[in-house]
Amino acid sequence: MYPRQQPFYTGHNDADLPPERTHRRKKRRKTARIVITAILLCLAVTAGWQLRKLPDREIISDILSSISGETMSQLNSTETEENGWQLILVNREHPLPDNYQVELTELSNGEKVAASIYPALQQMFDDMRAEGIYPVVVSGYRTDEEQQQILNDKTASYRAEGYSDADAAALAEDWVAIPGTSEHQTGLAVDINADGINSAGYEVYDWLSNHAHEYGFIKRYPEDKIELTGISNEPWHYRYVGRSAAEEIYKKGLCLEEYLG
């Protein structure tokens, strides 16, 4: 009931990467060199260097046209991959985009997460186990239908306690996001609990609270940020945002809404 043991790729050294990622990294470096060279040439022209017997405007045009559409596409893709995808904001005011797609990796217990966060999640779990703490992902990626069913079940449980339909629905939404507004639908969020045999829930929550940011994860719904997140305190719900953002969010005591402004 935890992520499968697979090699963990840090991404900091080409030797640590699988062949396909090594190829992409080399391709990005080549692309960056082309663009930097083009920029330097443009600067040289504006400084008055006579590279050709052509007006400066034509020289710049020739340089820019030498950068193919494919190259620019690679740059845009790289920027999104490295600076955008992990910081998508999904809440009641910012529903999931209609065209959102995510590549998933299935864990050993059948739960799924975005393939892009799997290495960090695996490393975090491995380090927890090394310290005698045994976590498990009890909920990862969810479809619209799965999210609706969870909301229906929560609403029904409040009705069974004697609440009216309206009150039951309102209370349920304090804990469960309506479909299209749940982070679980991004594949970037996981509910983490103890295995119930080797560890207790509080041990997992305490460890995550102190160390999850080191792996790029943040406690998404802190107790003191309910007015901003709209979700009650969930010590088990962690969201991947990347190490840089996670470090800053942790050190400054922010929630994702505050971090993104």
Side-chain angles (χ1 to χ4, degrees), residues 7-226:
F8 170 61
Y9 304 111
T10 63
H12 297 300
N13 188 317
D14 283 354
D16 296 330
L17 296 170
E20 64 273 13
R21 288 187 63 187
T22 300
H23 173 73
R24 289 200 299 270
R25 174 170 284 191
K26 289 180 178 179
K27 197 170 184 179
R28 287 199 295 268
R29 288 173 179 166
K30 182 178 179 181
T31 299
R33 284 197 295 270
I34 293 173
V35 174
I36 290 171
T37 300
I39 292 172
L40 290 175
L41 287 172
C42 290
L43 291 174
V45 169
T46 59
W49 292 7
Q50 298 298 314
L51 300 179
R52 300 180 184 176
K53 292 183 180 180
L54 291 171
D56 289 352
R57 208 179 319 169
E58 293 181 33
I59 297 176
I60 293 173
S61 178
D62 286 348
I63 293 171
L64 293 178
S65 65
S66 69
I67 305 175
S68 68
E70 180 183 358
T71 298
M72 295 307 296
S73 176
Q74 291 170 6
L75 284 178
N76 292 335
S77 175
T78 299
E79 181 179 358
T80 299
E81 177 185 331
E82 295 180 351
N83 302 313
W85 61 267
Q86 73 273 31
L87 290 176
I88 183 173
L89 179 63
V90 175
N91 57 27
R92 294 177 185 178
E93 287 72 38
H94 299 84
L96 197 68
D98 291 337
N99 61 348
Y100 184 82
Q101 294 183 341
V102 60
E103 180 184 349
L104 299 170
T105 291
E106 184 170 327
L107 309 182
S108 62
N109 64 351
E111 292 294 331
K112 297 177 182 179
V113 299
S116 53
I117 77 168
Y118 178 82
L121 180 66
Q122 179 67 67
Q123 185 64 46
M124 184 167 72
F125 273 33
D126 285 347
D127 291 349
M128 292 176 76
R129 295 187 197 107
E131 295 184 28
I133 298 172
Y134 293 84
V136 59
V137 172
V138 294
S139 186
Y141 172 78
R142 298 174 190 163
T143 64
D144 245 27
E145 294 74 20
E146 289 169 334
Q147 187 65 29
Q148 183 64 58
Q149 187 59 55
I150 293 172
L151 182 59
N152 291 345
D153 292 344
K154 192 68 171 176
T155 303
S157 71
Y158 279 119
R159 282 201 205 97
E161 293 178 23
Y163 290 95
S164 67
D165 288 351
D167 288 343
L171 286 168
E173 288 180 16
D174 284 341
W175 292 98
V176 182
I178 63 175
T181 69
S182 171
E183 283 199 328
H184 282 283
Q185 293 179 256
T186 67
L188 305 177
V190 285
D191 287 348
I192 303 173
N193 218 318
D195 66 354
I197 300 173
N198 301 294
S199 299
Y202 74 90
E203 293 178 297
V204 169
Y205 302 155
D206 287 349
W207 194 98
L208 290 171
S209 180
N210 293 319
H211 300 288
H213 63 282
E214 299 167 8
Y215 304 84
F217 292 87
I218 60 169
K219 182 181 177 182
R220 182 65 179 89
Y221 303 120
E223 188 172 11
D224 60 342
K225 304 293 182 180
I226 294 175

